[in-house]
Amino acid sequence: MPKKYRAMWAELGLNLDNHDKLLKTLGKVYSDIFLSQVNRPKKAEYLDFVVSEVHGLRVQELVEGKKQGRKVVGTYCTFAPEEIVLAANAVMVGLCSGADFATEEVEKLLPKNLCALIKSSFGFKLGGVCPYLEASDLVVGENTCDGKKKAYEVLKGLVRDLYVLDLPHTKNENAKPLLRAEFEKFKAKMETLTGRAITVDALKRATDVVNAKRQAVHRLSALRANRLVPISGLDSLLINQIFFYEDPVRFTGQINALCDELDARVKSGTGVTDARTPRILISGCPMAVPNWKLPAIIETSGAIIVGEESCVGERGTRNLVDNSSTTLDGLMDALVDRYLKIDCAVFSPNTERLDHIREMARHYKADGVILYAIQFCAPYTIEAIGIERQLEKAGIPAIRIETDYSQQDVGQLKTRVQAFIERIKD
Amino acid sequence: MEQRLTAGIDIGSCTVKVVVLDGQSVVREAVVDATARPAETALRLLTDTPSCPVVATGYGRDLLEVHRNIPTITEIKAHALGARLYCPSCATVIDVGGQDLKVICLDAAGKVARFEMNDRCAAGTGKFLEIMAQRLGYPLAEFGNAALTGADALTISAMCTVFAESEVVGLINRGVDRRDIARALHQSVVKRVSAMFKRTDPLAGQVVVTGGGALNTGLIGLLQRDLGISIHAAPAPQTVGALGCAIHAKQSPRE
């Protein structure tokens, strides 16, 4: 990355040595995993560009924006309502937590046996390597799982301004009023932070922007249902990851253009692989940048990933917001309705998730489902057992994979994934 | 006849195995130490075999795939294929290997339905038995019999191989009968195997034990007692994976 960004990183307070190491590793990993793929669409150049500028151009945009009074809101969960952030003329960026970093420092504050995603978010902070974190005027956490809930108590002391969204854990009759109250509180916080009142117009425009972003990835997902899949699972995952921090309007334009190319590929019968390649649906915990470990194993073992039932994926983008109301009350209600449809495992009961997995397996013509959970994640590992059983009963091959971010178990994972692929091929 | 010949290679963590199959008959089988160059070792074992299709499996299979363009299958598929040749009604394969433990459940057609593996920890593997045999002063080949002659006098409480070894040292120093300790150690392995077996919820049918662990009469005897069903140690159990590869080379010639 060009030296022109060094001053910006220094000013943000990054640890430049650590940051250099991170970028070097990231560059190599990206090259090994993404650039080695064959038959990528030409528009994948956009993805390569975004990643090559991951701590450069986008950060610069945010920093320039801050000078113009546009606040930066860093978030960790798909429940953070981007519509409200945009309506306050602020910018929302999903904060990465997809790699181990500064582990020794993290383990002074958090237990060793804890979700790698949570530990990573701390590692990026303690290592001083994330410009998005350092640029955030507000960091939004959320009361989802036990691990996050308690970890945010510790994070509070480490960041400028931490705001924790209290989410309901059921979808019963109290859930909607609770989430509505939380979104109202968050709206008030955004208004205080930015000094702007959120108007009906602003909220409607913001909702249009976020809906458009979601529609672009809907288009992408639909294209992957084709027998000849025009884009790899790895590239699709990356798109779903970039979704969280790229400029929404630019993202929408670029992904729609990519989908135009994929449309043409489908019409001309071009796929990244042939029609006999086993098709896998991944389901479970979200994969944050730069967690590409399992998809890389799957797609270098002779299979192709045709969908992600994940918050970084279809579960997080499935539903649009009904933007028809002309009152703030109606719009806020519509937001709540939309967000409550997310069937993350922190909710109980969560029976719709199995229905969605089955529907996705059918729709994307998956030959098998890989249920992915990060080690120590109680909600997803518990759900996975029942879901695996039900899928097998329904004649859909399924396997549970539980892992962390380390490279230690790559060999073991490869054996399991390859054995699963052998099974579905036989 | 050369066209009927196929070969299988299993590069394990402790040993390298080679099997040459002529139709349905094994005409060559070998088990040698892995050495520092396992791929070369395996291929050298095939030098006097006429050129024929080869498939590889095991921990080190990628070496052959990447450098010699030899197709590979996982150990899971390989053990399933090999076990079914010996026992056509086999429903479950228990592979007690040098450094891992697997339970493979087969469906009615003999295909892999589900499996479980422990490849992260020595407990329940051949490595555990190897370390304990040495600690107690038994040649590995006699360790199983010693266990069968011991009494059910104690249990080993440590889960971890390293801590279990320390526990064994303590027992030896207290003058506990070596055979009783041997039995307790075998029961530890049986416990792990049995738990994994039950978790996979296998179909009714023959249970075949493969891998070096199947050579251990103590393990087979005590496992049989614990599970309450008859289990069969595959003949030449260490070569079952390589055999499965040779079978696959025959059934699925490379396109």
Side-chain angles (χ1 to χ4, degrees), chain B residues 120-247:
Chain B
R120 293 161 206 255
C121 151
T125 71
K127 184 57 66 178
F128 180 91
L129 292 169
E130 202 180 288
I131 288 172
M132 300 307 168
Q134 189 168 52
R135 179 52 71 183
L136 285 171
Y138 285 110
L140 195 53
E142 290 169 28
F143 195 32
N145 280 330
L148 289 174
T149 62
D152 274 324
L154 61 133
T155 34
I156 301 293
S157 57
M159 267 184 67
C160 162
T161 304
V162 174
F163 291 150
E165 196 184 357
S166 303
E167 202 176 327
V168 164
V169 170
L171 292 166
I172 293 172
N173 291 342
R174 279 178 14 222
V176 175
D177 191 320
R178 273 194 328 161
R179 294 165 299 176
D180 296 351
I181 302 175
R183 191 179 183 87
L185 289 164
H186 280 72
Q187 293 286 37
S188 269
V189 177
V190 165
K191 210 165 116 176
R192 310 260 170 281
V193 177
S194 178
M196 190 181 280
F197 177 84
K198 287 170 187 157
R199 272 200 307 273
T200 55
D201 198 17
L203 293 178
Q206 303 284 24
V207 178
V208 174
V209 184
T210 64
L215 293 167
N216 184 315
T217 50
L219 186 60
I220 298 292
L222 293 171
L223 183 60
Q224 186 152 274
R225 228 177 56 144
D226 186 279
L227 292 179
I229 52 178
S230 75
I231 65 176
H232 303 255
Q238 290 168 295
T239 64
V240 174
L243 173 65
C245 287
I247 294 168

Side-chain angles (χ1 to χ4, degrees), chain A residues 412 416 418-419 422-423 426, chain B residues 61 74 77 112-113 117 119:
Chain A
Q412 289 101 324
R416 283 163 173 75
Q418 285 169 2
E422 281 167 347
R423 187 193 143 196
D426 275 348
Chain B
R61 64 186 180 280
T74 65
K77 181 163 178 162
V112 176
M117 293 175 71
D119 46 8

Side-chain angles (χ1 to χ4, degrees), chain A residues 124-420:
Chain A
F124 287 170
K125 175 62 201 167
L126 296 171
V129 294
C130 181
Y132 296 98
L133 243 178
E134 302 310 321
S136 292
D137 297 292
L138 182 70
V139 173
V140 178
E142 67 298 331
N143 172 20
T144 42
C145 62
D146 283 351
K148 284 195 168 222
K149 182 169 69 187
K150 299 307 284 182
Y152 287 127
E153 291 175 7
V154 183
L155 191 69
K156 195 175 170 70
L158 301 175
V159 299
R160 193 173 290 130
D161 190 359
L162 178 74
Y163 181 98
V164 180
L165 270 172
D166 189 16
L167 302 183
H169 285 183
T170 70
K171 308 267 174 89
N172 67 20
E173 65 278 10
N174 297 321
K176 193 170 155 179
L178 172 57
L179 190 59
R180 174 66 192 263
E182 282 297 306
F183 276 5
E184 288 292 344
K185 220 171 91 188
F186 180 65
K187 175 168 155 287
K189 173 70 183 182
M190 285 306 304
E191 288 173 332
T192 308
L193 178 72
T194 60
R196 270 182 189 244
I198 289 175
T199 64
V200 167
D201 274 342
L203 190 52
K204 280 181 89 69
R205 268 180 286 120
T207 302
D208 277 339
V209 166
V210 186
N211 271 349
K213 205 167 58 148
R214 293 177 183 126
Q215 282 170 315
V217 296
H218 288 178
R219 242 188 108 190
L220 171 70
S221 301
L223 287 156
R224 295 163 75 194
N226 282 290
R227 269 275 154 235
L228 280 177
V229 190
I231 187 172
S232 69
L234 275 165
D235 282 333
S236 303
L237 171 62
L238 184 59
I239 291 168
N240 277 288
Q241 290 170 330
I242 291 172
F243 176 101
F244 281 94
Y245 73 90
E246 238 288 59
D247 173 83
V249 174
R250 183 166 60 218
F251 175 88
T252 303
Q254 290 285 349
I255 299 309
N256 275 314
L258 171 75
C259 288
D260 289 341
E261 185 188 343
L262 299 184
D263 263 330
R265 282 192 147 201
V266 168
K267 287 192 177 82
S268 72
T270 311
V272 291
T273 180
D274 63 44
R276 289 170 310 172
T277 302
R279 303 164 70 98
I280 299 286
L281 173 68
I282 288 194
S283 163
C285 289
M287 294 181 190
V289 173
N291 178 12
W292 301 309
K293 178 172 150 187
L294 183 63
I297 288 172
I298 295 169
E299 295 203 324
T300 53
S301 297
I304 184 160
I305 298 163
V306 291
E308 304 71 31
E309 188 281 323
S310 162
C311 290
V312 180
E314 195 161 307
R315 186 169 66 230
T317 56
R318 177 178 292 132
N319 303 104
L320 300 178
V321 178
D322 175 354
N323 205 9
S324 56
S325 175
T326 50
T327 67
L328 218 39
D329 183 48
L331 292 170
M332 290 295 285
D333 245 6
L335 269 184
V336 170
D337 280 339
R338 185 265 163 195
Y339 279 91
L340 267 182
K341 291 194 177 116
I342 299 173
D343 43 358
C344 170
V346 298
F347 286 91
S348 177
N350 194 32
T351 53
E352 322 91 82
R353 184 167 164 239
L354 172 60
D355 296 335
H356 281 134
I357 293 170
R358 291 181 60 162
E359 172 51 32
M360 285 178 75
R362 191 197 60 78
H363 180 74
Y364 297 109
K365 307 186 201 48
D367 298 307
V369 179
I370 294 185
L371 299 167
Y372 165 77
I374 297 176
Q375 198 184 15
F376 309 119
C377 176
Y380 280 96
T381 53
I382 292 176
E383 281 199 2
I385 294 177
I387 290 173
E388 184 193 36
R389 192 169 292 135
Q390 292 299 324
L391 289 175
E392 288 282 349
K393 231 164 91 172
I396 302 170
I399 188 173
R400 287 178 283 134
I401 299 275
E402 202 182 311
T403 185
D404 59 12
Y405 288 166
S406 79
Q407 294 302 306
Q408 273 174 25
D409 64 350
V410 168
Q412 289 101 324
L413 286 183
K414 273 195 183 148
T415 300
R416 283 163 173 75
V417 167
Q418 285 169 2
F420 183 62

Side-chain angles (χ1 to χ4, degrees), chain B residues 3 55 248:
Chain B
Q3 297 111 306
V55 169
H248 182 75

Side-chain angles (χ1 to χ4, degrees), chain B residues 75-122:
Chain B
E75 310 86 287
I76 286 135
K77 181 163 178 162
H79 279 260
L81 285 170
R84 281 289 276 212
L85 185 67
Y86 285 130
C87 179
S89 58
C90 172
T92 315
V93 183
I94 299 176
D95 174 29
V96 185
Q99 288 184 8
D100 70 9
L101 169 66
K102 309 180 202 42
V103 175
I104 305 163
C105 295
L106 309 181
D107 65 18
K111 301 206 189 290
V112 176
R114 60 192 163 282
F115 59 90
E116 244 200 66
M117 293 175 71
N118 163 29
D119 46 8
R120 293 161 206 255
C121 151

